[in-house]
Each structure stands twice: as structure tokens, then as C-alpha cells.
């Protein structure tokens, strides 16, 4: 893996980073797709792997959600969970060490997924952000425990060297209201996403919470919650609505019609959406032309 800036003198690196956001960089909200678990690869989801990131970046993805867990020796690594099922579903053989708890970093780095995909520790994700200055990371850290949250985001901030530009490109996901001040105490991130898969709060309570916090830019939700009414209410208070996890342009179009802004996806790419909407536009144009011809023929 390449590591941008590693060959440069430290002072020059500091000067380059101090220039701030490059002029060409877009905001994360300029994109409507979020590559779920760093995106699918070879029709496989949830790898959170280096290869998944590289593959989906090449396909045009720029926002990457990553599942994060602590290893047994305290390193954040791209991993959904430590269950035996998670290992099996990623093509990793079960061993006596796999008991449902975290493993050491060295074990995880040596244990490839499907014999070819490599796990990413968070320091390597920071390297990728250096290498690809238009990429963004959305965190899925899972925990709602105060001490764990503090430890997770302290490590994230430390690995980013407290660089404001780097941290602008990391968007934490919140699971409940109490998580916001915990993270803010560690570092005041520029933007947050409130994800609803862990909360039982009513739509009205969610709306009030996000309305009161300007830095919560978006709300992401499972399909069942993405009603036209709720999505419309979010739009009225200038919050973007995302739905997860959608792997069909047709399904995305259905939710777009309700006002949904974007989607977490394993496999749909920007090119897939371009092809889909181009085809729909062509079909609509052909239908209009056919109707016009029929009308002209009737008049004749």
C-alpha cells in the first residue's frame, strides 16, 4: 500500500497539510452513495478490506462506511463483529482462538478473508485518506458504552494526528442522543450522521434532536422507516435522508421519489445509476415521441 507524504521532509508535510482543503475537493454531501463496509467486492459484502476500498474507489465511490472494532490488544480494525458466523461468512477458518471475542491485531492481519482480502487497521485507513484526498470515511463503531466510545474516537483522532483537514473527512455515526456530547468532548467533528438502526426513539424525537444540532447533517435509516412523511419532515429542517442497505437502482429510484437523498450500498456504483437514469430518460423520450406521432397521425 502506498503511503502519501512518507518520503517528504516532516516540515514540508506540515506546510502542505496546513494549506487546508484542496480547491478540487467536494463536500461529502455532494455524493449520494455510501460504500457499505468499504463496498462489496467480487459479489462479497462486509469485508471492510483494503481491496474493497481500492476496487470501489476505482468505480467512482468517494464515501466509505467502515465497521470498526477493537482487537484484543487495543487496535481499531475494520471488522463487523467477532462472532463465529462473521469468520465463516468471510471465508476464515474457525480455530480454537475464535470464541466470540476479539483477537490480537497480528492474528487478524495474517488471517485473510476468502484467502485474498486484507483487513485494515485504522492507521492504514488514515494512509488511504492521505493517498486519496477526495475520499471520506463514515464510522460504524457499534458501541454505545461511554468509555468505549471515548477510547475509539480518541484513537481515531490520535491516528489522524489531530489534523483538522483529515478529521473533516471522517464523519462519525451516532446511535443515540448521548453519544453526541461524548464524541464532541474527544474532538468537535465537522459533521455527523445519526443512524437509526439502534434507537427506538420516535420520529418526532429524532427530528427534534437533529434539529437542535446543526452539525448532524444527515439521518440514515432502514427501509421500513423511510416513509414519505418522515423523509419530508427531515427535508424541511435541512437534513439529508439516507437509507441502508440498497443494492438495486430500481429500489433507489423508489425511495428517491419519496425524497430520500442517498443510499448505503454494497454493489451499486455511480456508473450504475448513470446507466439506469439514462435508460429511463430514453424510455420516457421514446414514449413521448410515440404519443406525439400518434396524435399527429390522428389529426391527419
Amino acid at each position: 500500500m502506498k503511503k502519501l507524504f512518507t518520503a517528504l521532509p516532516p516540515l514540508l508535510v506540515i506546510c502542505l497539510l496546513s494549506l487546508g482543503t484542496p480547491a478540487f475537493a467536494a463536500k461529502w454531501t455532494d455524493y449520494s452513495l455510501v460504500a457499505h463496509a468499504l463496498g462489496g467486492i467480487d459479489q462479497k459484502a462486509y469485508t471492510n478490506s483494503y481491496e474493497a476500498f481500492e476496487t470501489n474507489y476505482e468505480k467512482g465511490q468517494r464515501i466509505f462506511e467502515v465497521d470498526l472494532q477493537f482487537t484484543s490488544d487495543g487496535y481499531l480494525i475494520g471488522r463487523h463483529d467477532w462472532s463465529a458466523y462473521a469468520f465463516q461468512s468471510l471465508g476464515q477458518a474457525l480455530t480454537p482462538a475464535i470464541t466470540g471475542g476479539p483477537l490480537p491485531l497480528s492474528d487478524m492481519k495474517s488471517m485473510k478473508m476468502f484467502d485474498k482480502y486484507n483487513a485494515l487497521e485504522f492507521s492504514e485507513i488514515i494512509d488511504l485518506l492521505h493517498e486519496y484526498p477526495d475520499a471520506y470515511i463514515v464510522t460504524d463503531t457499534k458501541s454505545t458504552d461511554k468509555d468505549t466510545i471515548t477510547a475509539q474516537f480518541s484513537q481515531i483522532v490520535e491516528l489522524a494526528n489531530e489534523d483538522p483537514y483529515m478529521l473533516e473527512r471522517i464523519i462519525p455515526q451516532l446511535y443515540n442522543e448521548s453519544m453526541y456530547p461524548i464524541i464532541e468532548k474527544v474532538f468537535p467533528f465537522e459533521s455527523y450522521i445519526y443512524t437509526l438502526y439502534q434507537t427506538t426513539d420516535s420520529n418526532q424525537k429524532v427530528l427534534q434532536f437533529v434539529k437542535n444540532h446543526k452539525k448532524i447533517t444527515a439521518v440514515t435509516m432502514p427501509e421500513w422507516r423511510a416513509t414519505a412523511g418522515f423523509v419530508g419532515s427531515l427535508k424541511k429542517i435541512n437534513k439529508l435522508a439516507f437509507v441502508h442497505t440498497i443494492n438495486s437502482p430500481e429500489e433507489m429510484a423508489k425511495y428517491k421519489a419519496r425524497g430520500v437523498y442517498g443510499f448505503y450500498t454494497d454493489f451499486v456504483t455511480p456508473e450504475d445509476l448513470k446507466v439506469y437514469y439514462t435508460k429511463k430518460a430514453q424510455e420516457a423520450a421514446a414514449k413521448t415521441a410515440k404519443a406525439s406521432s400518434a396524435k399527429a397521425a390522428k389529426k391527419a
Side-chain angles (χ1 to χ4, degrees):
M1 184 187 309
K2 293 179 288 182
K3 295 184 179 180
L4 194 63
F5 298 150
T6 53
L8 298 177
L11 183 58
L12 179 56
V13 172
I14 293 170
C15 291
L16 288 172
L17 293 176
S18 70
L19 295 176
T21 305
F24 60 81
K27 298 176 183 177
W28 80 264
T29 52
D30 291 337
Y31 303 103
S32 63
L33 295 180
V34 178
H36 176 238
L38 299 184
I41 182 170
D42 299 329
Q43 293 305 301
K44 296 176 176 66
Y46 285 100
T47 68
N48 290 286
S49 66
Y50 169 71
E51 291 78 11
F53 177 95
E54 290 280 352
T55 296
N56 286 286
Y57 184 91
E58 287 299 318
K59 291 180 178 180
Q61 302 287 35
R62 292 297 180 266
I63 311 175
F64 297 85
E65 185 248 24
V66 61
D67 300 307
L68 293 169
Q69 297 281 349
F70 272 129
T71 61
S72 62
D73 45 353
Y75 293 90
L76 274 180
I77 194 169
R79 184 82 186 178
H80 187 273
D81 62 77
W82 299 106
S83 67
Y85 172 77
F87 283 91
Q88 290 176 309
S89 66
L90 293 171
Q92 295 171 313
L94 296 181
T95 68
I98 297 171
T99 59
L103 297 182
L105 178 65
S106 59
D107 288 8
M108 294 306 299
K109 296 297 286 183
S110 65
M111 193 182 297
K112 291 180 183 288
M113 290 163 277
F114 301 105
D115 295 320
K116 57 182 176 180
Y117 306 131
N118 292 280
L120 279 169
E121 59 183 292
F122 202 81
S123 63
E124 294 170 316
I125 291 173
I126 293 295
D127 290 339
L128 288 171
L129 289 178
H130 278 297
E131 187 174 347
Y132 299 100
D134 57 346
Y136 292 82
I137 292 294
V138 172
T139 66
D140 193 358
T141 48
K142 314 294 184 188
S143 180
T144 55
D145 172 72
K146 180 180 179 179
D147 291 341
T148 303
I149 294 166
T150 300
Q152 288 170 328
F153 284 92
S154 293
Q155 187 168 131
I156 287 170
V157 172
E158 181 182 355
L159 290 170
N161 293 318
E162 299 186 21
D163 172 26
Y165 168 55
M166 191 62 56
L167 290 166
E168 281 177 14
R169 294 159 56 213
I170 297 173
I171 304 103
Q173 286 193 126
L174 306 170
Y175 309 116
N176 54 41
E177 294 186 10
S178 63
M179 192 172 174
Y180 181 85
I182 296 171
I183 298 178
E184 280 281 287
K185 190 174 181 180
V186 175
F187 185 85
F189 287 86
E190 184 173 278
S191 185
Y192 293 87
I193 297 172
Y194 191 18
T195 184
L196 305 184
Y197 75 86
Q198 289 197 43
T199 183
T200 58
D201 285 351
S202 67
N203 289 352
Q204 193 57 44
K205 199 167 189 303
V206 170
L207 288 166
Q208 191 60 52
F209 173 58
V210 299
K211 183 179 180 180
N212 290 341
H213 295 83
K214 288 185 178 180
K215 294 203 294 184
I216 299 177
T217 310
V219 176
T220 188
M221 65 200 78
E223 292 184 69
W224 67 266
R225 200 153 187 174
T227 63
F230 184 39
V231 171
S233 295
L234 286 168
K235 193 170 184 178
K236 285 179 183 177
I237 58 174
N238 298 313
K239 304 296 182 181
L240 302 178
F242 282 75
V243 175
H244 61 81
T245 302
I246 309 296
N247 287 314
S248 158
E250 291 80 8
E251 284 294 297
M252 290 180 178
K254 179 181 76 174
Y255 287 110
K256 277 279 188 185
R258 297 183 193 177
V260 170
Y261 178 80
F263 306 91
Y264 290 47
T265 184
D266 299 306
F267 303 114
V268 177
T269 66
E271 182 63 24
D272 292 332
L273 285 185
K274 181 180 177 181
V275 169
Y276 174 78
Y277 282 109
T278 298
K279 182 179 178 182
K280 297 298 287 186
Q282 290 171 342
E283 290 173 351
K287 187 176 180 179
T288 300
K290 185 177 180 180
S292 297
S293 297
K295 187 176 180 180
K298 189 174 181 180
K299 284 185 177 180

